Amino acid sequence: MYFNKEASECDNDFDRWIYVLKNMEALNRLPWAAKNSLFEHLSQIADISALSKEERLKYDEGIRKYRDTLCVMEGQYAKGVEKGILMTAKKLKDLGLGISYIKEATGLSEEVIKQL
């Protein structure tokens, strides 16, 4: 039997999936997007696939820039954390705290602490 339900008649996820797959090209917005994050994500994919070639290129470029920015920020954050740990270890060493305590507190190796 063929699937002939309307959006309002789909009362479970299986029916919704079949409806979406059958009507993907015609959908502007999914009727269940607010109810189910999975369908919201599918709605976003459908919106992206409906973009013109020029809009899609702009969208892809924007996503690339966004992801590049995230990578740079994550890298800078990691460097900042590392620098903070080294500064803390140096201050602890300058205060005369033993290397074993500094090692335990910071997770740094004994060699790194000795070089500070």
Side-chain angles (χ1 to χ4, degrees), residues 17-73:
W17 272 111
I18 299 301
Y19 178 85
V20 166
L21 293 172
K22 181 179 176 190
N23 298 289
M24 181 73 74
E25 293 179 15
L27 292 176
N28 288 332
R29 291 273 173 216
L30 293 178
W32 316 283
K35 291 183 182 178
N36 188 326
S37 65
L38 180 62
F39 284 100
E40 185 175 327
H41 183 67
L42 186 58
S43 175
Q44 291 171 354
I45 292 169
D47 288 346
I48 292 167
S49 67
L51 296 174
S52 69
K53 186 175 181 178
E54 183 179 309
E55 291 170 329
R56 180 62 190 253
L57 290 172
K58 287 180 184 178
Y59 173 82
D60 289 343
E61 180 63 23
I63 291 293
R64 267 192 296 281
K65 286 180 181 179
Y66 172 74
R67 289 178 179 158
D68 288 349
T69 301
L70 283 180
C71 287
V72 168
M73 289 173 63

Side-chain angles (χ1 to χ4, degrees), residues 88-106:
T88 301
K90 181 164 178 18
K91 283 186 180 184
L92 293 173
K93 184 177 177 187
D94 291 345
L95 291 171
L97 195 64
I99 290 179
S100 62
Y101 292 113
I102 298 171
K103 182 178 175 183
E104 185 177 336
T106 63

